[in-house]
Amino acid sequence: MSGMKVEIIAIGDELTSGRILNTTSSYAARQLFEAGYEIHAMHTIGDTPELIGEALKSAISEVDAVLVTGGLGSTDDDLTNEAVSKALNRPTLPNLEVLSIVRTHLDEISPAHVGQLEKLAWLPEGAEVLNPQSCMAGYQLIHDQKPIFFLPGIPSQMKQLLREHVLPRLATWHKDHYLTTYQRLFKIFNLPESEVNRRISTLDLSGDAHIGYYPVFPEVHLSLIIRDKQDSSAEKLFISSCKAINTVLGDAIYGYDRDCMESVTGGLLQRAGRRLAVAESCTGGLIAEKLTAIAGSSNYFLGGVVAYANDLKTQFLDVPADLLKAHGAVSRETAEAMAGGIRNRTGADIGLSVTGVAGPGGGSAEKPVGTVYIGIATTEGTWATHFLFSGDRQQIREMTAQSGLDLVRKYLLQTTGT
Amino acid sequence: MSGMKVEIIAIGDELTSGRILNTTSSYAARQLFEAGYEIHAMHTIGDTPELIGEALKSAISEVDAVLVTGGLGSTDDDLTNEAVSKALNRPTLPNLEVLSIVRTHLDEISPAHVGQLEKLAWLPEGAEVLNPQSCMAGYQLIHDQKPIFFLPGIPSQMKQLLREHVLPRLATWHKDHYLTTYQRLFKIFNLPESEVNRRISTLDLSGDAHIGYYPVFPEVHLSLIIRDKQDSSAEKLFISSCKAINTVLGDAIYGYDRDCMESVTGGLLQRAGRRLAVAESCTGGLIAEKLTAIAGSSNYFLGGVVAYANDLKTQFLDVPADLLKAHGAVSRETAEAMAGGIRNRTGADIGLSVTGVAGPGGGSAEKPVGTVYIGIATTEGTWATHFLFSGDRQQIREMTAQSGLDLVRKYLLQTTGT
């Protein structure tokens, strides 16, 4: 038994030119998906009546409901109503509710715009305005017994009408089609997608548990979706499936749903009452930037040093110049000295350091591009881990920052048992 | 004479579920649009072979070239190649180039994954791999005399292949369809779009000079596009238009085309032989991170301090504790002391500091969220500038970092006359 199929059509030259990123379609998809609908497809087309008509007719023929956004405004390049009228053979008629609202605003408007604004009130025959109280464009049509919703392209208006008018109307439409969904996004770091896939394949998951893999560099996201069958089985299946996934992936799962590595590691620091400081070389501030992007991070993050030049490693982190000379800036010894240095200087509970070769230049035979040492200094002692990352400069920096935060996360999991 | 029509198809359940925002299609649309192509439509569909096949066949029947992204990975839900094979009657065959690359990586991989990874090498008959040197998925098919490009959904890989392989191949495809275009992207900071628009409207630009405005927070990008008319007029018009735009916008234009603020400011530092160090509070490392994202930045960037906690402002930057007590961490006096401190401690020619209230908390009546002081210390002296930015935490941090780099840029333009 599958859910109700919906298709989303976004209209606007600004979208097909890439001038504006189409965020409304993704928002609508997510809202509809989480409400249990299946998104058949999403289309983005320019303000061209022929294309709009084609897209609309093919959608009506394929799915149970259609959501159209954009092209409802009063300017000359807003052609959605005209296109709908042609495509569905519904002459545009003045909608009296909208017309009265528009006219109440006319005194604020120069006569030159009157005709233009009244364009807002001319809707395809059968149009039912979604929110008659507001001046917002947006209406519903029933065509071939299917609901079609037309919303403005302006994100704030579109989102409000979707939440307050479209979803409630859809929910009462074809109840038998309607399904709630249980879903969870597992956020995984430090396991290749193929290995995640292999481990999951060892599980004997029910065919009703839909698994998806999404590499989101430098992570892998795994989604579990189970659609309700109007009985208690779905929830039970959801809980047991989550358990099974957690078992095979273990602490490679750093978080769920809206978590990110810096919020998870930050949360562990907060709960453990530990304070972190960082000494960064090749990441150049990326770790500190990620941590401080989280509001409230000042509770557990003191700050740090971007010791890009070697002098600063000595000046700010007390890394002995002769140690740098003996082992080089990219070495286990330097990483440990940096971690210890930032911890001592700041009085943090945990000192995290990274030093490496981000490239494209600077690599050598024994220390190729991607060579990274990450150091951690704690009450239990100081140690460093060696990594060899691949990818371009930005990817190596991302992997390094993420790995540093992950090492702190795992250290806290082991020592504080949270 | 109209340009070549292109259709963009993005594949992935993560997109139709709204779980991940489809940014690659908009990026591709913009790149293609600015290169003079018409975007007929953009489609987003799930990992469903039937839908992929339908979308592909209808696109081939409607446009001159097709760009498909996503579903090329090695996991079970990557179904694009299988769908293409069915839809276009092209059996999948092992591509020897890809296979050899995959196999060179096999020794790093447990045998269990071999079969799975070799899936990457099985491509529809006639597939021409775009970049045989790399392990990146991505190939071209010629079908009905039309080029079809298949790219991975991972944004970084997709964008690189689009720029380095797809656009060059398209440019040489069907020369008769294709108009060479003269274009420049003017990158503007610190001038609202409306003001940019007003100044441009005072110019008497030819109707053949196509102007586009793209707000790309926190910047405004202005694109000038002039299509070649197979005579010398286009180039002349392009040069004169660029001159006119530069005149009305002046140094609000910080760069062009692929420039970014940190690369421009870095280039000025490099040419002037000056070295920069930064002391960051509310940006938490964002400025250092941006600067060090540029390869070779170690030539002019020494590093810096993320003085998130007040103790670190004293410990690392010699900001007197009583000054902090008297004026507060977010003040002109503290910004100047931080800039001077980082300059003295590091021996940099220029010290840049930022301190402010990024929010959402921490605001007060006289220092509301968005209050920022940016300090600069140079041989000529030390001063600080007050800003009041609006937006959320991330936007305020972005505006602060960008403004700091812009202040250094303008200081260098004035003093070094580069």
Side-chain angles (χ1 to χ4, degrees):
Chain A
M1 173 175 171
S2 87
M4 189 170 170
K5 282 208 178 86
V6 182
E7 201 154 299
I8 300 169
I9 302 174
I11 296 167
D13 288 337
E14 73 278 13
L15 302 174
T16 50
S17 67
R19 207 175 309 131
I20 286 177
L21 180 62
N22 177 1
T23 56
T24 55
S25 292
S26 302
Y27 178 85
R30 185 176 192 128
Q31 295 293 316
L32 290 162
F33 177 81
E34 292 183 350
Y37 301 97
E38 278 183 22
I39 310 303
H40 182 256
M42 299 148 75
H43 309 285
T44 307
I45 52 186
D47 297 293
T48 311
E50 299 65 33
L51 284 181
I52 299 171
E54 282 173 32
L56 188 56
K57 280 191 283 190
S58 92
I60 293 170
S61 70
E62 287 170 340
V63 297
D64 307 302
V66 184
L67 182 68
V68 181
T69 64
L72 299 183
S74 64
T75 62
D76 302 342
D77 60 356
D78 291 310
L79 303 170
T80 298
N81 291 342
E82 173 190 331
V84 173
S85 166
K86 281 213 194 76
L88 307 184
N89 302 316
R90 292 167 177 263
T92 57
L93 306 170
N95 180 292
L96 299 182
E97 290 170 319
V98 181
L99 204 56
S100 68
I101 292 171
V102 170
R103 290 202 166 131
T104 59
H105 292 269
L106 287 190
D107 37 4
E108 311 155 13
I109 293 158
S110 80
H113 300 157
V114 173
Q116 205 170 33
L117 268 171
E118 291 197 342
K119 179 185 175 197
L120 290 168
W122 286 73
L123 305 178
E125 187 173 27
E128 184 189 343
V129 176
L130 288 171
N131 182 3
Q133 276 67 52
S134 92
C135 205
M136 251 187 260
Y139 59 91
Q140 172 181 9
L141 271 183
I142 308 296
H143 195 85
D144 294 351
Q145 291 90 49
K146 293 173 181 178
I148 311 170
F149 298 94
F150 297 87
L151 303 181
I154 300 158
S156 58
Q157 297 183 2
M158 176 274 181
K159 292 176 181 181
Q160 188 187 340
L161 285 169
L162 179 74
R163 283 193 311 266
E164 298 173 7
H165 296 275
V166 174
L167 290 175
R169 283 164 184 256
L170 270 177
T172 56
W173 184 272
H174 275 288
K175 273 240 163 292
D176 55 322
H177 274 290
Y178 183 73
L179 299 170
T180 53
T181 54
Y182 296 88
Q183 64 170 323
R184 178 162 296 167
L185 198 59
F186 297 80
K187 300 204 166 167
I188 299 149
F189 179 63
N190 226 343
L191 270 191
E193 184 181 7
S194 53
E195 171 61 10
V196 174
N197 189 266
R198 189 192 63 73
R199 294 195 191 178
I200 295 301
S201 63
T202 64
L203 296 175
D204 182 25
L205 291 176
S206 149
D208 293 330
H210 302 283
I211 298 284
Y213 299 90
Y214 313 107
V216 181
F217 183 85
E219 309 175 359
V220 174
H221 296 177
L222 181 150
S223 82
L224 168 69
I225 298 165
I226 293 168
R227 298 196 193 279
D228 196 349
K229 294 191 160 174
Q230 323 296 351
D231 60 33
S232 62
S233 67
E235 187 172 8
K236 286 204 200 74
L237 178 57
F238 179 70
I239 293 166
S240 62
S241 305
C242 288
K243 273 217 191 77
I245 292 168
N246 277 302
T247 312
V248 289
L249 296 179
D251 72 357
I253 298 172
Y254 75 77
Y256 305 91
D257 299 323
R258 300 202 187 289
D259 289 341
C260 61
M261 183 65 80
E262 46 271 33
S263 69
V264 169
T265 302
L268 288 172
L269 286 163
Q270 173 105 34
R271 281 194 292 287
R274 310 280 186 95
R275 299 181 314 159
L276 174 71
V278 301
E280 304 184 61
S281 183
C282 63
T283 46
L286 181 57
I287 297 175
E289 189 279 321
K290 284 174 178 282
L291 285 163
T292 55
I294 308 292
S297 47
S298 55
N299 293 333
Y300 48 81
F301 180 64
L302 297 175
V305 167
V306 178
Y308 213 52
N310 275 349
D311 297 358
L312 273 63
K313 296 185 177 73
T314 305
Q315 152 81 259
F316 286 123
L317 303 170
D318 309 316
V319 179
D322 54 2
L323 182 149
L324 282 166
K325 194 176 274 121
H327 301 282
V330 178
S331 64
R332 179 179 306 279
E333 293 76 4
T334 299
E336 290 177 356
M338 288 170 69
I342 195 66
R343 179 168 182 266
N344 296 336
R345 282 290 196 99
T346 60
D349 303 296
I350 303 171
L352 170 67
S353 73
V354 300
T355 178
V357 187
S364 67
E366 82 280 15
K367 289 173 187 175
V369 169
T371 301
V372 171
Y373 291 90
I374 301 183
I376 293 190
T378 72
T379 44
E380 287 88 354
T382 300
W383 62 94
T385 313
H386 170 265
F387 296 87
L388 181 56
F389 298 123
S390 57
D392 62 23
R393 180 180 180 86
Q394 199 46 46
Q395 289 169 321
I396 290 169
R397 286 158 51 95
E398 269 296 330
M399 278 300 292
T400 303
Q402 186 88 344
S403 300
L405 293 168
D406 195 41
L407 286 174
V408 173
R409 176 182 73 91
K410 286 177 172 160
Y411 163 74
L412 289 167
L413 286 179
Q414 285 153 19
T415 54
T416 67
T418 24
Chain B
M1 175 175 175
S2 88
M4 190 169 168
K5 279 209 181 87
V6 183
E7 202 154 298
I8 299 170
I9 302 173
I11 296 167
D13 288 337
E14 73 278 16
L15 303 174
T16 50
S17 67
R19 211 173 302 124
I20 286 177
L21 179 62
N22 176 1
T23 55
T24 55
S25 292
S26 302
Y27 178 86
R30 179 162 182 173
Q31 295 292 318
L32 290 163
F33 176 80
E34 292 186 350
Y37 301 96
E38 277 181 27
I39 310 303
H40 182 256
M42 298 148 75
H43 309 285
T44 306
I45 53 185
D47 297 293
T48 312
E50 298 66 33
L51 283 181
I52 298 171
E54 282 172 31
L56 187 56
K57 281 190 283 190
S58 91
I60 292 171
S61 70
E62 287 171 339
V63 297
D64 307 302
V66 185
L67 182 68
V68 182
T69 64
L72 299 183
S74 65
T75 60
D76 302 341
D77 61 352
D78 291 310
L79 302 170
T80 298
N81 291 341
E82 172 190 332
V84 172
S85 165
K86 281 212 194 74
L88 306 184
N89 303 317
R90 292 168 177 263
T92 55
L93 306 170
N95 179 293
L96 299 183
E97 289 170 320
V98 181
L99 204 56
S100 68
I101 291 171
V102 170
R103 290 201 167 133
T104 58
H105 292 267
L106 288 190
D107 36 5
E108 309 156 15
I109 292 158
S110 82
H113 304 166
V114 174
Q116 204 168 39
L117 273 168
E118 290 196 343
K119 179 184 175 196
L120 290 167
W122 287 74
L123 304 178
E125 186 172 26
E128 185 190 343
V129 175
L130 289 171
N131 182 3
Q133 276 68 52
S134 92
C135 204
M136 251 186 263
Y139 59 91
Q140 173 182 9
L141 271 183
I142 308 296
H143 196 86
D144 295 350
Q145 290 91 49
K146 293 173 180 178
I148 311 170
F149 298 94
F150 297 87
L151 303 181
I154 299 160
S156 59
Q157 297 184 1
M158 176 274 180
K159 292 176 180 181
Q160 188 187 341
L161 286 169
L162 179 75
R163 284 194 312 267
E164 297 174 10
H165 296 275
V166 174
L167 290 174
R169 282 163 184 256
L170 271 177
T172 57
W173 184 268
H174 271 289
K175 275 245 164 288
D176 54 324
H177 272 286
Y178 183 73
L179 295 171
T180 51
T181 53
Y182 294 90
Q183 62 169 317
R184 179 161 296 167
L185 201 58
F186 298 79
K187 299 204 167 167
I188 299 149
F189 180 63
N190 226 343
L191 216 52
E193 184 179 7
S194 54
E195 173 61 11
V196 174
N197 191 298
R198 191 192 63 73
R199 294 194 192 180
I200 295 300
S201 63
T202 64
L203 297 174
D204 181 25
L205 291 175
S206 150
D208 293 332
H210 302 283
I211 298 285
Y213 298 91
Y214 312 107
V216 181
F217 182 85
E219 310 176 359
V220 174
H221 295 176
L222 182 150
S223 83
L224 168 68
I225 298 171
I226 293 169
R227 300 230 158 88
D228 197 348
K229 295 222 175 128
Q230 325 297 351
D231 61 31
S232 64
S233 67
E235 187 173 8
K236 286 204 198 74
L237 178 58
F238 179 70
I239 292 165
S240 62
S241 306
C242 288
K243 272 216 191 78
I245 292 169
N246 278 301
T247 312
V248 289
L249 296 180
D251 73 356
I253 299 173
Y254 76 77
Y256 305 92
D257 300 325
R258 299 206 185 290
D259 289 342
C260 60
M261 184 64 82
E262 48 270 33
S263 68
V264 169
T265 303
L268 288 171
L269 285 163
Q270 172 106 31
R271 281 195 291 288
R274 310 279 185 96
R275 300 182 313 159
L276 174 71
V278 301
E280 304 184 62
S281 183
C282 63
T283 46
L286 182 57
I287 298 176
E289 188 279 321
K290 283 173 177 282
L291 284 162
T292 56
I294 308 293
S297 47
S298 55
N299 295 333
Y300 49 80
F301 181 64
L302 296 176
V305 167
V306 178
Y308 213 52
N310 276 349
D311 296 359
L312 273 64
K313 297 185 176 75
T314 305
Q315 151 81 260
F316 286 124
L317 303 170
D318 310 316
V319 179
D322 55 0
L323 182 148
L324 281 167
K325 193 177 275 120
H327 301 283
V330 178
S331 64
R332 178 179 307 279
E333 292 76 6
T334 299
E336 290 178 356
M338 288 170 68
I342 193 67
R343 179 168 182 265
N344 296 336
R345 282 288 195 100
T346 61
D349 302 296
I350 303 171
L352 170 66
S353 72
V354 300
T355 179
V357 187
S364 68
E366 83 280 15
K367 289 173 187 175
V369 169
T371 301
V372 171
Y373 291 90
I374 301 183
I376 292 190
T378 71
T379 44
E380 287 86 357
T382 300
W383 62 93
T385 313
H386 170 265
F387 296 86
L388 182 56
F389 298 123
S390 56
D392 61 24
R393 181 179 179 86
Q394 199 46 47
Q395 289 170 321
I396 290 169
R397 284 158 52 94
E398 268 297 329
M399 277 300 292
T400 304
Q402 187 88 344
S403 300
L405 293 167
D406 195 41
L407 285 174
V408 173
R409 177 182 74 91
K410 286 176 171 160
Y411 164 74
L412 288 167
L413 286 177
Q414 285 153 19
T415 54
T416 67
T418 26

